Amino acid sequence: MAAESTSAAPPSSGRRALLAVCSIVLAAGGALTRPFGWPATVLVLLAGAVVLVRAIRSPTSAEPKDAAVRRGTAVWSALLLAAAGWEAYAFVRQPDWTKPSDQHPTLSTLLDPALEQGPLRFAGWLIWLAVGWWLVTR
């Protein structure tokens, strides 16, 4: 009787290299787009779709038996849902979805002054992609 593994096999070096190249290309493309423009939105949606597919296809692990871990998971899940809800509300309430609004700032609006320069914008895209991938693969 063979035991099933609950964790995904680590990616090969070729897959890691492909993931790194795709991330760098996506970050470069994102850094070259105008903030809050439709091309940037399409890139964000594309990256989100890839990560969503990865999250859905990943095998699920068993629920932790430790009560402290379950409570921590519940608290962090609630915080992430609250942040996502605030972000969605602020985005929908903006008068123009292609221009930032001071009355209903999203996280992107708040970070834009720090990330408006080319190299920092590229680094911000890379960090955003890396954190998203890390969250999905854990």
Side-chain angles (χ1 to χ4, degrees):
M1 190 185 282
E4 287 187 32
S5 174
T6 57
S7 64
S12 65
S13 60
R15 289 185 76 189
R16 283 188 197 148
L18 179 63
L19 181 64
V21 167
C22 288
S23 297
I24 290 170
V25 168
L26 185 65
L32 294 174
T33 61
R34 185 177 58 83
F36 307 104
W38 288 112
T41 303
V42 169
L43 287 176
V44 168
L45 291 174
L46 177 69
V50 169
V51 169
L52 183 62
V53 167
R54 171 66 166 98
I56 291 171
R57 293 183 65 197
S58 294
T60 58
S61 60
E63 187 176 318
K65 296 183 184 345
D66 186 16
V69 173
R70 281 196 313 268
R71 280 192 306 272
T73 301
V75 168
W76 279 106
S77 296
L79 288 172
L80 285 173
L81 282 173
W86 169 60
E87 187 79 5
Y89 175 78
F91 181 73
V92 170
R93 297 288 297 166
Q94 289 183 353
D96 183 0
W97 290 359
T98 61
K99 294 181 183 145
S101 169
D102 290 335
Q103 292 148 345
H104 301 286
T106 62
L107 187 59
S108 300
T109 304
L110 297 174
L111 290 176
D112 189 50
L115 299 176
E116 63 187 356
Q117 302 301 322
L120 291 177
R121 191 162 165 76
F122 176 73
W125 272 86
L126 279 179
I127 291 168
W128 178 74
L129 290 168
V131 168
W133 192 257
W134 178 79
L135 286 171
V136 167
T137 57
R138 295 297 170 249

